[in-house]
Amino acid sequence: MKSNELRTSFLEFFKDKDHTIVPSMSLIPRDDPSLLFTSAGCVQFKPLWTGSVPLPYKRATSVQKCFRTSDLDNVGKTRRHHTFFEMLGNFSFGDYFKEDAILWAWEYLLEVLGIDPTRLSVSVYKDDDEAYDIWHKKIGLKKERIFRFGDEDNFWGPAGNSGPCGPCSEIFFDLGEKYSCGKKTCVPGCDCDRYPEIWNLVFPQFNQTVAGERLPLKNRGVDTGMGFERLAAVLQNKDSVFQTDLFYPIIEDIIKHKNLKYGEDRRIDVAINVMADHVRALVFAIGDGIIPSNEERGYVLRRILRRAVRLCRNLAINDPFLYRFVPRVIDMYKPAYADLVERREEITLIIKSEEEGFLATLEKGLHQFDEICKTRNSISGEQAFKLYDTYGFPIELIQEIAKEKGISVDEKGFMAMLEQAREISKAEAKFIPKGEWTILNDENGTFIGYDKVSVETKIIKFNAHEKIIEIVLKESPFYAEAGGQVGDQGEIVGEGFKLDVKDTYWHQGMIVCHCKLAQGKFTPGKVVAEVDLRKRKESARAHTATHLLHAALRKTLGEHARQEGSFVEPGRFRFDFTHFKPLSNDEINVIENIVNEKVLDNIPVEKFNTTLDEAKRLGAMAIFGEKYGDKVRVVKVNDFSIELCAGIHLDNTGQIGLFKIISQEAAAAGIRRVEAVVGLRLFEALRKSVSTIKELSQILGTDKDLIKKAYDFQERLKELEKLHRETSVQLARIKANELVRKLKKEKSKIIAQQFDKYSPDAIRLTADFIREDTKNCIGILYQEINGKLNYLIFVGQNLVKKRPANKLIKDVSKILGGGGGGRPHMAEGGGGDPKKVAEAIDFLKNKIE
RNA sequence: GGGGCCGUAGCUCAGUUGGGAGAGCGCUUGACUGGCAGUCAAGAGGUCACGGGUUCAAAUCCCGUCGGCUCCA
């Protein structure tokens, strides 16, 4: 069965059993900060089991995009590990339980897929007799094909650090003797390749807290996950996932490009597998809006890409290479993930430029490498770590190159330093209250902030740790960070205490206020919650302005200028959009004009809830990679701008006040970022710049052509500086001649001369000239500035060894009460007392005679 | 969120314990010259990222900001 058919057959099977087909969530998990990536099919459903949101359906089925890097080192080497994969799942929330889950799984495998039941065996949790009996009595599976395992294997979850978990039952497929590790202990569940686990049926019945406690789950149910790629390998009768139609077309492309042979040299096979896996993962991750970067998700992406590039090097590929296979991946996945198609060029470009970036980094690292090799023939742990940590040189590559050059690497020392760095990083990580959530009322807070900014309500959940307290309110006027708009700030006042709300965010369907205790002692109960209205207003100005900007960009630049992300805070915002070149000044002017026209037209901003279909019919813009429910909120300004958006907006565009773009830059390849300010903040900035210009015109003595005037001044200054330099040289020459003549006439060996109003440069030059003319003298040239003495001591070439100037100046400075230093032929000092000059000169006279 | 490194001429970079802002390439001009980066000479080009501090003196030391690279969480 082709994999594209397999997907549909699964969804159709469960649809027939009254399941709602739910689309895959983005690889970026929404409102779950404990997870970096969507790592399983159940992630998007977590709040449905805990009951923190109302149930939209009781049964669901999905094919979920997933991303895991926990086994990164194994990817490509084994027949079943990969970073990106899809998971087939069926889910029940307070509805059917073990029996139906098991019977349907069996039915699907046997009757739809036609799998030979004699090749299947199962496991259950050690004391889960209920599941055991269903397999044994209802299905009729023989006892020797049912295994009981403990917590390690048959208790699942939670995904992330808290949430639903429970016992599970796994289904294994027997590939046959030849894949076995041969040990006597080789039974289903063995680590070797013989019995891949194809389906895991989880029965979530507990809600594990952050602290590790397991509470009964409100909507206990079923959560199953079947590895799509593994299943495809079984059905297509392939040795490994890389030979299925989910990978092989990519592999074919790779070997065609470089005339490689697949299946002959394991080392080459592994490299090709890794490349195929990683490029597929990159396409999906970037498709969901993650961009390679130096932090968080983006960093994981960067690491994956670099791992692949490094393996390219092993195949003697030294140019950007991976990006070539993006079209193939997208082509393969088009039937199930059509939205990738329109992002093809962008994804290709991002991967290509990241590859180029890494190749440049490697170039720099190689330079460092050579520097080290110049001086010694081994690399210490510290040096290896520096190459790795500062120059981004993968340790594997350090070893490879060292091997080529025949030098050793202190791997133990390297690992020790890496471990140390990890510890430091962990220890300093951001403080999140580790305390326990106290649940006073097991209902969900509701957001009422669209209409109200102040409300009397009560605390229903809280998590306090010293002065940091996280709070869930029954009714929250605080907007939680979403859609790029920062969370509201404000205060919560209760009996005998006051809390400052520093931030508000979503956590598993709850609106959480991150607070700091400002006054009194915290006790839960009735409170008055009030949003900081001034900040809220300024945020709303900025947010409504992003919508106008978005529309103006599309109108000016074309339909491709689509929003990629935004960051909205009081009075200003950043807006990222797809566009391939910088905006010209003309374009910026046009865009600003359009937005400001809409502001001046004072158009009402309509906000209403509707269905997703209706919103689409209206032509609403949605942000790519965002997931929307069936009910959506639409924000509409005439026909000019219609967007899906849950953010806080103004009542009419006039409240924006004024709009101005203040900067633009590249956010990533193919993505431009503009920053703009609005409202009061913009007004403040304008006021400041007007007064700056006013002051400037006063200084420059003109109120027009300021720029030309400034250039003129600059030009004039340069001329004068040049003239001054030339004069200084001549003056120094004259002065030097004079002093040398005097020296010779007096047959003295010391020159002491006051040089007031000379520049340090001129004094130095004079000393240079004197040193050219006479080799046997010591000189001190000094000047008085602000009642203190600056001085320069020089020593003739023949005396440099015997009486180095930098030593003399230490002693002279002691006499004068200042400080100084320099080089043997010339030294400078300062801060001395002018009255003691004579004493210093006497000292020098003594030194030379 | 926490570290490391970096920011100096158009480009690639050097700049010792704080004490004259440099090299190579490129550019301009002139002379010489039959090649492969031709040779020689002269010249232009710098807010040493920015803002504070320490100091008689900061490209150099300290603090902060911005930007780039990089490692970890």
Side-chain angles (χ1 to χ4, degrees), chain A residues 597-612:
Chain A
E597 266 167 36
K598 300 292 168 188
V599 171
L600 294 175
D601 286 349
N602 199 22
I603 306 161
V605 180
E606 299 166 63
K607 289 145 279 190
F608 53 90
N609 293 318
T610 182
T611 60
L612 186 56

Side-chain angles (χ1 to χ4, degrees), chain A residues 330-354:
Chain A
I330 292 178
D331 211 43
M332 284 162 60
Y333 280 90
K334 204 161 49 183
Y337 301 94
D339 45 3
L340 287 173
V341 176
E342 54 180 303
R343 307 249 305 182
R344 178 186 328 210
E345 264 117 65
E346 199 183 325
I347 294 171
T348 309
L349 207 85
I350 290 172
I351 293 182
K352 188 176 177 210
S353 66
E354 183 67 18

Side-chain angles (χ1 to χ4, degrees), chain A residues 130 142 209 216 277 325 392 475 533 559 620 660 714 799 845:
Chain A
E130 190 187 351
K142 286 183 184 147
T209 65
D277 173 273
F325 309 106
E475 293 169 309
L533 190 59
E559 292 297 303
K660 175 92 185 77
Q714 202 176 39
L799 294 169
K845 273 186 185 156

